[in-house]
Amino acid sequence: MKKLSVFLIAICAFAQDEAALRRFFEGRTVRVKIDMPGSQEGVDVRWRQQAELDMKAYSQRLKKYPVSIANGDSVIVTMVRLKSKNIEFQLGGGGYGTLGDDTGDVSVPSVSRSSRQQQLEKDVKNEKDSRRRDDMNREIRRLEDDRRRQESRERARADELRDRKRFEVDEKRRRAGSRFNVWFPDKYLAESVPTPERLMGILGQWVEFGGEGAQRRQSAPEPPPPAASPALRRGMSRDEVVAMMGKPSSSKRRQEGSLAVVTETWNAGSEVTEVDFVDGLVLKYRISSK
């Protein structure tokens, strides 16, 4: 009974510590000092005597996923979760890839042998007439060739759909935020949960928190900022780009796998801007000097 009481007290204290962290951080606007991968895997920080970034995992995730929050971006803390071995510090939604998010996987449907082909393959084994057997084998080969062509068409369609879904998922990843996963030694959090000030100190190398009054979300809505001049961004339509930059000076089309990519070029003063479009949307762009 005593052990149960101690256990329940520990659970209550753990929940209170999480509630304190959530009250302090959630709704704050912070500024990140590194590029954040567009995935729920986020960035791993391991704390022992001091905080250390897991550079191997960080590099792999930046190669695998698009950047969702860039170095210098300001973003809202959307959730803080206290778990048994780590604290999740979620930014701008916490990252794409949680339960229910589309993975972009596409399966290739198999094309089965027709009932006619299956019956012929069965009958030809018992056919005694050599001429009739030859006719049956020719029909089996024709039917098998048709089946393989159909399989090839299905694979091509699946490849095209996979490329389109990968593009769509990457766009969703860029808008879904990211997170820091702060890992602690085994059983550490069961005995001592960092205070908000301590957690800010742990993450301070990669997150700028600023003053509390300036960072907390205000209860009354703030007036909208002055309209900024338009700027290129991924996901813009071609019509938006042309309205902003005018008619391109050149246009080229190429294939990347099953995707048709159109590259258009604008020359303005000393700058050259190249924009890659897929299905009329900006995939990526490059700005260079002449």
Side-chain angles (χ1 to χ4, degrees), residues 234-245:
R234 293 185 180 92
M236 288 181 73
S237 69
R238 183 183 181 277
D239 289 343
E240 290 177 311
V241 176
V242 171
M244 182 176 71
M245 302 181 61

Side-chain angles (χ1 to χ4, degrees), residues 24-33 36 69-78 80 89-92 178-180 200 203-204 206-212 214-217:
F24 187 87
F25 287 110
E26 290 181 4
R28 277 176 167 253
T29 298
V30 299
R31 189 174 69 86
V32 297
K33 302 179 184 179
M36 303 284 291
I69 307 171
N71 183 351
D73 282 353
S74 294
V75 62
I76 288 177
V77 180
T78 49
V80 178
F89 196 80
Q90 300 187 19
L91 303 172
S178 191
R179 68 181 67 183
F180 285 94
M200 285 194 291
L203 290 173
W206 310 285
V207 180
E208 183 180 295
F209 291 92
E212 180 173 350
Q215 297 298 326
R216 283 200 179 277
R217 186 165 47 190

